[in-house]
Amino acid sequence: MKNELKNYLERFIDLSDEESEMALQFFEYRKYPKNSLILRSGDICNFEAYIKRGCAREFFTDHKGNEHTVEFAIEDWWISEIHSFENKVPSQVSIETLEETEMLVLSLESKKQLLETIPTLEHMFRIMMQRHVHALKKRLLQNMSRNAMDRYQMFLELYPTVVQRVPQYHIASYLGISQEFLSKLRKRTMDL
């Protein structure tokens, strides 16, 4: 069950077999059905989760009630609302599963204990955070400088399996376009 997470950890740092086994003990296994709201906007996020199997999305709802997808997370990715998680403040986003999803979850307390027990994991979490910030910045710049067709094609290249796993209206909200416009882009892409 935890082999995937062990492999993930070892991509970033060298761990002895004993350290790997010890690290895995801090994670709690959770399984959620499809369409489970695992974090509601306004609640405090109490997890940082590695996705073993499934798909989830992070989104916010604007003052008009429209949902805007911030990110998707699939196998071998992490999901959390890190500001809420680390500072124990209400989240501005929600997180829901889009498929039945299995996660290995850290609470804030278990993460602190994990980092005290195996301080070298701090390096892995720092690299993860740097990559996440880089990906968000890249997406922001693309949204500001690219047209919708370019953004859609980049999405297809970066996330080829996600496009087949999530409803099109979530992809449209991620790209910042209407469902109708996404349908037109999809048709143009197929005609190319």
PDB file of all heavy atoms in Angstrom, residues 28-39 46-47 49-51 53-56 79 95-105:
ATOM      1  N   GLU A  28      -1.589   8.317   7.555  1.00  0.00           N
ATOM      2  CA  GLU A  28      -2.844   7.596   7.778  1.00  0.00           C
ATOM      3  C   GLU A  28      -3.511   7.350   6.431  1.00  0.00           C
ATOM      4  O   GLU A  28      -3.633   8.260   5.606  1.00  0.00           O
ATOM      5  CB  GLU A  28      -3.777   8.443   8.662  1.00  0.00           C
ATOM      6  CG  GLU A  28      -5.140   7.844   8.865  1.00  0.00           C
ATOM      7  CD  GLU A  28      -6.101   8.808   9.551  1.00  0.00           C
ATOM      8  OE1 GLU A  28      -5.643   9.778  10.180  1.00  0.00           O
ATOM      9  OE2 GLU A  28      -7.320   8.591   9.428  1.00  0.00           O
ATOM     10  N   TYR A  29      -3.941   6.120   6.205  1.00  0.00           N
ATOM     11  CA  TYR A  29      -4.630   5.763   4.965  1.00  0.00           C
ATOM     12  C   TYR A  29      -6.088   6.215   5.046  1.00  0.00           C
ATOM     13  O   TYR A  29      -6.761   5.996   6.052  1.00  0.00           O
ATOM     14  CB  TYR A  29      -4.569   4.248   4.751  1.00  0.00           C
ATOM     15  CG  TYR A  29      -5.430   3.766   3.614  1.00  0.00           C
ATOM     16  CD1 TYR A  29      -4.996   3.863   2.300  1.00  0.00           C
ATOM     17  CD2 TYR A  29      -6.691   3.224   3.855  1.00  0.00           C
ATOM     18  CE1 TYR A  29      -5.787   3.425   1.253  1.00  0.00           C
ATOM     19  CE2 TYR A  29      -7.481   2.788   2.814  1.00  0.00           C
ATOM     20  CZ  TYR A  29      -7.029   2.890   1.509  1.00  0.00           C
ATOM     21  OH  TYR A  29      -7.823   2.452   0.485  1.00  0.00           O
ATOM     22  N   ARG A  30      -6.562   6.852   3.980  1.00  0.00           N
ATOM     23  CA  ARG A  30      -7.975   7.238   3.886  1.00  0.00           C
ATOM     24  C   ARG A  30      -8.473   6.945   2.481  1.00  0.00           C
ATOM     25  O   ARG A  30      -7.748   7.137   1.501  1.00  0.00           O
ATOM     26  CB  ARG A  30      -8.183   8.722   4.176  1.00  0.00           C
ATOM     27  CG  ARG A  30      -7.912   9.102   5.611  1.00  0.00           C
ATOM     28  CD  ARG A  30      -8.290  10.537   5.871  1.00  0.00           C
ATOM     29  NE  ARG A  30      -7.793  10.972   7.159  1.00  0.00           N
ATOM     30  CZ  ARG A  30      -7.668  12.229   7.523  1.00  0.00           C
ATOM     31  NH1 ARG A  30      -8.016  13.192   6.692  1.00  0.00           N
ATOM     32  NH2 ARG A  30      -7.196  12.544   8.709  1.00  0.00           N
ATOM     33  N   LYS A  31      -9.717   6.525   2.406  1.00  0.00           N
ATOM     34  CA  LYS A  31     -10.347   6.247   1.118  1.00  0.00           C
ATOM     35  C   LYS A  31     -11.643   7.041   1.058  1.00  0.00           C
ATOM     36  O   LYS A  31     -12.454   6.994   1.994  1.00  0.00           O
ATOM     37  CB  LYS A  31     -10.629   4.752   0.985  1.00  0.00           C
ATOM     38  CG  LYS A  31     -11.184   4.342  -0.356  1.00  0.00           C
ATOM     39  CD  LYS A  31     -11.313   2.817  -0.403  1.00  0.00           C
ATOM     40  CE  LYS A  31     -11.815   2.347  -1.725  1.00  0.00           C
ATOM     41  NZ  LYS A  31     -11.904   0.867  -1.771  1.00  0.00           N
ATOM     42  N   TYR A  32     -11.828   7.784  -0.036  1.00  0.00           N
ATOM     43  CA  TYR A  32     -13.014   8.620  -0.198  1.00  0.00           C
ATOM     44  C   TYR A  32     -13.776   8.205  -1.453  1.00  0.00           C
ATOM     45  O   TYR A  32     -13.161   7.968  -2.496  1.00  0.00           O
ATOM     46  CB  TYR A  32     -12.610  10.099  -0.351  1.00  0.00           C
ATOM     47  CG  TYR A  32     -11.946  10.673   0.858  1.00  0.00           C
ATOM     48  CD1 TYR A  32     -10.565  10.776   0.925  1.00  0.00           C
ATOM     49  CD2 TYR A  32     -12.692  11.135   1.939  1.00  0.00           C
ATOM     50  CE1 TYR A  32      -9.937  11.324   2.037  1.00  0.00           C
ATOM     51  CE2 TYR A  32     -12.077  11.684   3.052  1.00  0.00           C
ATOM     52  CZ  TYR A  32     -10.697  11.768   3.098  1.00  0.00           C
ATOM     53  OH  TYR A  32     -10.076  12.303   4.192  1.00  0.00           O
ATOM     54  N   PRO A  33     -15.091   8.182  -1.373  1.00  0.00           N
ATOM     55  CA  PRO A  33     -15.876   7.924  -2.587  1.00  0.00           C
ATOM     56  C   PRO A  33     -15.784   9.105  -3.547  1.00  0.00           C
ATOM     57  O   PRO A  33     -15.388  10.212  -3.173  1.00  0.00           O
ATOM     58  CB  PRO A  33     -17.316   7.785  -2.076  1.00  0.00           C
ATOM     59  CG  PRO A  33     -17.277   7.866  -0.604  1.00  0.00           C
ATOM     60  CD  PRO A  33     -15.912   8.326  -0.186  1.00  0.00           C
ATOM     61  N   LYS A  34     -16.165   8.856  -4.780  1.00  0.00           N
ATOM     62  CA  LYS A  34     -16.228   9.901  -5.796  1.00  0.00           C
ATOM     63  C   LYS A  34     -17.131  11.031  -5.309  1.00  0.00           C
ATOM     64  O   LYS A  34     -18.136  10.797  -4.644  1.00  0.00           O
ATOM     65  CB  LYS A  34     -16.786   9.305  -7.093  1.00  0.00           C
ATOM     66  CG  LYS A  34     -16.893  10.267  -8.237  1.00  0.00           C
ATOM     67  CD  LYS A  34     -17.436   9.551  -9.477  1.00  0.00           C
ATOM     68  CE  LYS A  34     -17.539  10.513 -10.635  1.00  0.00           C
ATOM     69  NZ  LYS A  34     -18.008   9.839 -11.853  1.00  0.00           N
ATOM     70  N   ASN A  35     -16.765  12.260  -5.631  1.00  0.00           N
ATOM     71  CA  ASN A  35     -17.523  13.468  -5.299  1.00  0.00           C
ATOM     72  C   ASN A  35     -17.608  13.761  -3.800  1.00  0.00           C
ATOM     73  O   ASN A  35     -18.564  14.375  -3.337  1.00  0.00           O
ATOM     74  CB  ASN A  35     -18.931  13.424  -5.904  1.00  0.00           C
ATOM     75  CG  ASN A  35     -18.900  13.345  -7.411  1.00  0.00           C
ATOM     76  OD1 ASN A  35     -18.045  13.944  -8.050  1.00  0.00           O
ATOM     77  ND2 ASN A  35     -19.810  12.589  -7.985  1.00  0.00           N
ATOM     78  N   SER A  36     -16.594  13.348  -3.053  1.00  0.00           N
ATOM     79  CA  SER A  36     -16.539  13.674  -1.620  1.00  0.00           C
ATOM     80  C   SER A  36     -15.887  15.039  -1.444  1.00  0.00           C
ATOM     81  O   SER A  36     -14.803  15.285  -1.978  1.00  0.00           O
ATOM     82  CB  SER A  36     -15.715  12.642  -0.852  1.00  0.00           C
ATOM     83  OG  SER A  36     -16.336  11.391  -0.861  1.00  0.00           O
ATOM     84  N   LEU A  37     -16.537  15.902  -0.693  1.00  0.00           N
ATOM     85  CA  LEU A  37     -15.952  17.200  -0.367  1.00  0.00           C
ATOM     86  C   LEU A  37     -15.088  16.981   0.874  1.00  0.00           C
ATOM     87  O   LEU A  37     -15.599  16.813   1.977  1.00  0.00           O
ATOM     88  CB  LEU A  37     -17.061  18.218  -0.108  1.00  0.00           C
ATOM     89  CG  LEU A  37     -16.651  19.683  -0.100  1.00  0.00           C
ATOM     90  CD1 LEU A  37     -16.068  20.110  -1.439  1.00  0.00           C
ATOM     91  CD2 LEU A  37     -17.849  20.552   0.232  1.00  0.00           C
ATOM     92  N   ILE A  38     -13.781  16.959   0.692  1.00  0.00           N
ATOM     93  CA  ILE A  38     -12.889  16.649   1.812  1.00  0.00           C
ATOM     94  C   ILE A  38     -12.349  17.898   2.500  1.00  0.00           C
ATOM     95  O   ILE A  38     -11.772  17.812   3.573  1.00  0.00           O
ATOM     96  CB  ILE A  38     -11.746  15.698   1.397  1.00  0.00           C
ATOM     97  CG1 ILE A  38     -10.883  16.298   0.285  1.00  0.00           C
ATOM     98  CG2 ILE A  38     -12.305  14.351   0.964  1.00  0.00           C
ATOM     99  CD1 ILE A  38      -9.673  15.452  -0.087  1.00  0.00           C
ATOM    100  N   LEU A  39     -12.555  19.047   1.873  1.00  0.00           N
ATOM    101  CA  LEU A  39     -12.278  20.336   2.512  1.00  0.00           C
ATOM    102  C   LEU A  39     -13.294  21.328   1.973  1.00  0.00           C
ATOM    103  O   LEU A  39     -13.463  21.447   0.764  1.00  0.00           O
ATOM    104  CB  LEU A  39     -10.859  20.831   2.202  1.00  0.00           C
ATOM    105  CG  LEU A  39     -10.523  22.238   2.715  1.00  0.00           C
ATOM    106  CD1 LEU A  39     -10.552  22.299   4.240  1.00  0.00           C
ATOM    107  CD2 LEU A  39      -9.169  22.709   2.182  1.00  0.00           C
ATOM    108  N   ASN A  46      -7.001  20.224   7.600  1.00  0.00           N
ATOM    109  CA  ASN A  46      -6.286  19.453   8.620  1.00  0.00           C
ATOM    110  C   ASN A  46      -5.468  18.314   8.016  1.00  0.00           C
ATOM    111  O   ASN A  46      -5.183  17.336   8.688  1.00  0.00           O
ATOM    112  CB  ASN A  46      -7.261  18.915   9.675  1.00  0.00           C
ATOM    113  CG  ASN A  46      -8.301  17.985   9.070  1.00  0.00           C
ATOM    114  OD1 ASN A  46      -8.220  17.624   7.900  1.00  0.00           O
ATOM    115  ND2 ASN A  46      -9.273  17.592   9.862  1.00  0.00           N
ATOM    116  N   PHE A  47      -5.110  18.452   6.735  1.00  0.00           N
ATOM    117  CA  PHE A  47      -4.350  17.378   6.093  1.00  0.00           C
ATOM    118  C   PHE A  47      -3.427  17.901   4.994  1.00  0.00           C
ATOM    119  O   PHE A  47      -3.660  18.942   4.393  1.00  0.00           O
ATOM    120  CB  PHE A  47      -5.296  16.334   5.476  1.00  0.00           C
ATOM    121  CG  PHE A  47      -6.122  16.879   4.339  1.00  0.00           C
ATOM    122  CD1 PHE A  47      -5.646  16.843   3.035  1.00  0.00           C
ATOM    123  CD2 PHE A  47      -7.366  17.449   4.576  1.00  0.00           C
ATOM    124  CE1 PHE A  47      -6.400  17.358   1.988  1.00  0.00           C
ATOM    125  CE2 PHE A  47      -8.125  17.966   3.532  1.00  0.00           C
ATOM    126  CZ  PHE A  47      -7.643  17.924   2.240  1.00  0.00           C
ATOM    127  N   ALA A  49      -1.942  15.551   1.843  1.00  0.00           N
ATOM    128  CA  ALA A  49      -2.188  14.185   1.406  1.00  0.00           C
ATOM    129  C   ALA A  49      -1.456  13.829   0.122  1.00  0.00           C
ATOM    130  O   ALA A  49      -1.444  14.595  -0.839  1.00  0.00           O
ATOM    131  CB  ALA A  49      -3.686  13.968   1.204  1.00  0.00           C
ATOM    132  N   TYR A  50      -0.898  12.633   0.136  1.00  0.00           N
ATOM    133  CA  TYR A  50      -0.304  12.014  -1.044  1.00  0.00           C
ATOM    134  C   TYR A  50      -1.386  11.140  -1.670  1.00  0.00           C
ATOM    135  O   TYR A  50      -2.007  10.317  -0.982  1.00  0.00           O
ATOM    136  CB  TYR A  50       0.902  11.168  -0.633  1.00  0.00           C
ATOM    137  CG  TYR A  50       1.464  10.321  -1.735  1.00  0.00           C
ATOM    138  CD1 TYR A  50       2.345  10.855  -2.666  1.00  0.00           C
ATOM    139  CD2 TYR A  50       1.116   8.974  -1.851  1.00  0.00           C
ATOM    140  CE1 TYR A  50       2.870  10.076  -3.685  1.00  0.00           C
ATOM    141  CE2 TYR A  50       1.638   8.198  -2.866  1.00  0.00           C
ATOM    142  CZ  TYR A  50       2.509   8.748  -3.779  1.00  0.00           C
ATOM    143  OH  TYR A  50       3.010   7.977  -4.781  1.00  0.00           O
ATOM    144  N   ILE A  51      -1.641  11.324  -2.963  1.00  0.00           N
ATOM    145  CA  ILE A  51      -2.689  10.542  -3.618  1.00  0.00           C
ATOM    146  C   ILE A  51      -2.092   9.254  -4.158  1.00  0.00           C
ATOM    147  O   ILE A  51      -1.233   9.266  -5.027  1.00  0.00           O
ATOM    148  CB  ILE A  51      -3.372  11.352  -4.738  1.00  0.00           C
ATOM    149  CG1 ILE A  51      -4.051  12.573  -4.120  1.00  0.00           C
ATOM    150  CG2 ILE A  51      -4.355  10.479  -5.509  1.00  0.00           C
ATOM    151  CD1 ILE A  51      -4.846  13.408  -5.066  1.00  0.00           C
ATOM    152  N   ARG A  53      -4.201   6.671  -5.276  1.00  0.00           N
ATOM    153  CA  ARG A  53      -5.058   6.300  -6.399  1.00  0.00           C
ATOM    154  C   ARG A  53      -6.231   7.253  -6.433  1.00  0.00           C
ATOM    155  O   ARG A  53      -6.783   7.604  -5.395  1.00  0.00           O
ATOM    156  CB  ARG A  53      -5.576   4.863  -6.225  1.00  0.00           C
ATOM    157  CG  ARG A  53      -6.341   4.329  -7.439  1.00  0.00           C
ATOM    158  CD  ARG A  53      -6.809   2.899  -7.250  1.00  0.00           C
ATOM    159  NE  ARG A  53      -7.783   2.754  -6.182  1.00  0.00           N
ATOM    160  CZ  ARG A  53      -9.076   3.061  -6.294  1.00  0.00           C
ATOM    161  NH1 ARG A  53      -9.557   3.549  -7.404  1.00  0.00           N
ATOM    162  NH2 ARG A  53      -9.890   2.888  -5.267  1.00  0.00           N
ATOM    163  N   GLY A  54      -6.598   7.710  -7.635  1.00  0.00           N
ATOM    164  CA  GLY A  54      -7.762   8.570  -7.763  1.00  0.00           C
ATOM    165  C   GLY A  54      -7.425   9.944  -8.294  1.00  0.00           C
ATOM    166  O   GLY A  54      -6.331  10.186  -8.806  1.00  0.00           O
ATOM    167  N   CYS A  55      -8.390  10.846  -8.153  1.00  0.00           N
ATOM    168  CA  CYS A  55      -8.246  12.199  -8.687  1.00  0.00           C
ATOM    169  C   CYS A  55      -9.054  13.148  -7.811  1.00  0.00           C
ATOM    170  O   CYS A  55     -10.170  12.831  -7.392  1.00  0.00           O
ATOM    171  CB  CYS A  55      -8.765  12.225 -10.125  1.00  0.00           C
ATOM    172  SG  CYS A  55      -8.660  13.829 -10.936  1.00  0.00           S
ATOM    173  N   ALA A  56      -8.472  14.309  -7.548  1.00  0.00           N
ATOM    174  CA  ALA A  56      -9.147  15.338  -6.749  1.00  0.00           C
ATOM    175  C   ALA A  56      -8.901  16.690  -7.410  1.00  0.00           C
ATOM    176  O   ALA A  56      -8.036  16.829  -8.272  1.00  0.00           O
ATOM    177  CB  ALA A  56      -8.616  15.334  -5.319  1.00  0.00           C
ATOM    178  N   ILE A  79      -1.996  16.890  -2.340  1.00  0.00           N
ATOM    179  CA  ILE A  79      -3.027  17.928  -2.315  1.00  0.00           C
ATOM    180  C   ILE A  79      -3.244  18.382  -0.878  1.00  0.00           C
ATOM    181  O   ILE A  79      -3.195  17.573   0.062  1.00  0.00           O
ATOM    182  CB  ILE A  79      -4.347  17.471  -2.976  1.00  0.00           C
ATOM    183  CG1 ILE A  79      -5.237  18.684  -3.259  1.00  0.00           C
ATOM    184  CG2 ILE A  79      -5.049  16.394  -2.159  1.00  0.00           C
ATOM    185  CD1 ILE A  79      -6.233  18.487  -4.351  1.00  0.00           C
ATOM    186  N   ILE A  95     -11.779  21.296  -1.557  1.00  0.00           N
ATOM    187  CA  ILE A  95     -11.153  20.170  -2.250  1.00  0.00           C
ATOM    188  C   ILE A  95     -12.180  19.051  -2.309  1.00  0.00           C
ATOM    189  O   ILE A  95     -12.796  18.714  -1.294  1.00  0.00           O
ATOM    190  CB  ILE A  95      -9.867  19.695  -1.538  1.00  0.00           C
ATOM    191  CG1 ILE A  95      -8.820  20.812  -1.522  1.00  0.00           C
ATOM    192  CG2 ILE A  95      -9.319  18.436  -2.209  1.00  0.00           C
ATOM    193  CD1 ILE A  95      -7.555  20.484  -0.735  1.00  0.00           C
ATOM    194  N   GLU A  96     -12.355  18.490  -3.508  1.00  0.00           N
ATOM    195  CA  GLU A  96     -13.270  17.366  -3.680  1.00  0.00           C
ATOM    196  C   GLU A  96     -12.615  16.283  -4.513  1.00  0.00           C
ATOM    197  O   GLU A  96     -11.747  16.568  -5.340  1.00  0.00           O
ATOM    198  CB  GLU A  96     -14.588  17.803  -4.316  1.00  0.00           C
ATOM    199  CG  GLU A  96     -14.518  18.066  -5.792  1.00  0.00           C
ATOM    200  CD  GLU A  96     -15.872  18.275  -6.453  1.00  0.00           C
ATOM    201  OE1 GLU A  96     -16.876  17.736  -5.991  1.00  0.00           O
ATOM    202  OE2 GLU A  96     -15.891  19.002  -7.467  1.00  0.00           O
ATOM    203  N   THR A  97     -13.068  15.050  -4.287  1.00  0.00           N
ATOM    204  CA  THR A  97     -12.593  13.947  -5.102  1.00  0.00           C
ATOM    205  C   THR A  97     -13.447  13.863  -6.365  1.00  0.00           C
ATOM    206  O   THR A  97     -14.660  14.071  -6.312  1.00  0.00           O
ATOM    207  CB  THR A  97     -12.674  12.617  -4.331  1.00  0.00           C
ATOM    208  OG1 THR A  97     -14.034  12.364  -3.960  1.00  0.00           O
ATOM    209  CG2 THR A  97     -11.799  12.641  -3.087  1.00  0.00           C
ATOM    210  N   LEU A  98     -12.818  13.582  -7.481  1.00  0.00           N
ATOM    211  CA  LEU A  98     -13.538  13.423  -8.743  1.00  0.00           C
ATOM    212  C   LEU A  98     -13.671  11.954  -9.127  1.00  0.00           C
ATOM    213  O   LEU A  98     -14.397  11.616 -10.057  1.00  0.00           O
ATOM    214  CB  LEU A  98     -12.827  14.187  -9.859  1.00  0.00           C
ATOM    215  CG  LEU A  98     -12.699  15.697  -9.627  1.00  0.00           C
ATOM    216  CD1 LEU A  98     -11.906  16.346 -10.747  1.00  0.00           C
ATOM    217  CD2 LEU A  98     -14.071  16.337  -9.489  1.00  0.00           C
ATOM    218  N   GLU A  99     -12.947  11.113  -8.428  1.00  0.00           N
ATOM    219  CA  GLU A  99     -13.009   9.654  -8.554  1.00  0.00           C
ATOM    220  C   GLU A  99     -12.903   9.093  -7.143  1.00  0.00           C
ATOM    221  O   GLU A  99     -12.530   9.820  -6.217  1.00  0.00           O
ATOM    222  CB  GLU A  99     -11.819   9.116  -9.359  1.00  0.00           C
ATOM    223  CG  GLU A  99     -11.698   9.614 -10.764  1.00  0.00           C
ATOM    224  CD  GLU A  99     -10.406   9.154 -11.451  1.00  0.00           C
ATOM    225  OE1 GLU A  99      -9.476   8.651 -10.776  1.00  0.00           O
ATOM    226  OE2 GLU A  99     -10.339   9.304 -12.671  1.00  0.00           O
ATOM    227  N   GLU A 100     -13.189   7.819  -6.987  1.00  0.00           N
ATOM    228  CA  GLU A 100     -12.868   7.188  -5.710  1.00  0.00           C
ATOM    229  C   GLU A 100     -11.370   7.389  -5.503  1.00  0.00           C
ATOM    230  O   GLU A 100     -10.577   7.135  -6.415  1.00  0.00           O
ATOM    231  CB  GLU A 100     -13.216   5.703  -5.749  1.00  0.00           C
ATOM    232  CG  GLU A 100     -12.928   5.012  -4.437  1.00  0.00           C
ATOM    233  CD  GLU A 100     -13.343   3.559  -4.461  1.00  0.00           C
ATOM    234  OE1 GLU A 100     -12.515   2.735  -4.918  1.00  0.00           O
ATOM    235  OE2 GLU A 100     -14.467   3.250  -4.037  1.00  0.00           O
ATOM    236  N   THR A 101     -10.987   7.881  -4.341  1.00  0.00           N
ATOM    237  CA  THR A 101      -9.601   8.314  -4.131  1.00  0.00           C
ATOM    238  C   THR A 101      -9.041   7.738  -2.838  1.00  0.00           C
ATOM    239  O   THR A 101      -9.677   7.806  -1.791  1.00  0.00           O
ATOM    240  CB  THR A 101      -9.528   9.859  -4.115  1.00  0.00           C
ATOM    241  OG1 THR A 101     -10.059  10.351  -5.349  1.00  0.00           O
ATOM    242  CG2 THR A 101      -8.104  10.344  -3.959  1.00  0.00           C
ATOM    243  N   GLU A 102      -7.842   7.181  -2.954  1.00  0.00           N
ATOM    244  CA  GLU A 102      -7.111   6.674  -1.799  1.00  0.00           C
ATOM    245  C   GLU A 102      -5.938   7.612  -1.536  1.00  0.00           C
ATOM    246  O   GLU A 102      -5.199   7.950  -2.461  1.00  0.00           O
ATOM    247  CB  GLU A 102      -6.589   5.265  -2.058  1.00  0.00           C
ATOM    248  CG  GLU A 102      -7.686   4.251  -2.277  1.00  0.00           C
ATOM    249  CD  GLU A 102      -7.135   2.872  -2.602  1.00  0.00           C
ATOM    250  OE1 GLU A 102      -6.190   2.425  -1.911  1.00  0.00           O
ATOM    251  OE2 GLU A 102      -7.646   2.261  -3.550  1.00  0.00           O
ATOM    252  N   MET A 103      -5.800   8.015  -0.281  1.00  0.00           N
ATOM    253  CA  MET A 103      -4.760   8.968   0.098  1.00  0.00           C
ATOM    254  C   MET A 103      -3.994   8.476   1.314  1.00  0.00           C
ATOM    255  O   MET A 103      -4.531   7.766   2.155  1.00  0.00           O
ATOM    256  CB  MET A 103      -5.384  10.319   0.468  1.00  0.00           C
ATOM    257  CG  MET A 103      -6.151  10.990  -0.614  1.00  0.00           C
ATOM    258  SD  MET A 103      -6.848  12.553   0.013  1.00  0.00           S
ATOM    259  CE  MET A 103      -7.517  13.231  -1.485  1.00  0.00           C
ATOM    260  N   LEU A 104      -2.756   8.908   1.401  1.00  0.00           N
ATOM    261  CA  LEU A 104      -1.952   8.752   2.601  1.00  0.00           C
ATOM    262  C   LEU A 104      -1.792  10.151   3.164  1.00  0.00           C
ATOM    263  O   LEU A 104      -1.238  11.039   2.503  1.00  0.00           O
ATOM    264  CB  LEU A 104      -0.615   8.098   2.277  1.00  0.00           C
ATOM    265  CG  LEU A 104      -0.750   6.670   1.730  1.00  0.00           C
ATOM    266  CD1 LEU A 104       0.587   6.152   1.227  1.00  0.00           C
ATOM    267  CD2 LEU A 104      -1.316   5.739   2.796  1.00  0.00           C
ATOM    268  N   VAL A 105      -2.304  10.343   4.368  1.00  0.00           N
ATOM    269  CA  VAL A 105      -2.534  11.675   4.917  1.00  0.00           C
ATOM    270  C   VAL A 105      -1.649  11.954   6.119  1.00  0.00           C
ATOM    271  O   VAL A 105      -1.469  11.099   6.991  1.00  0.00           O
ATOM    272  CB  VAL A 105      -4.024  11.807   5.312  1.00  0.00           C
ATOM    273  CG1 VAL A 105      -4.305  13.131   5.967  1.00  0.00           C
ATOM    274  CG2 VAL A 105      -4.921  11.598   4.097  1.00  0.00           C
TER     275      VAL A 105
END
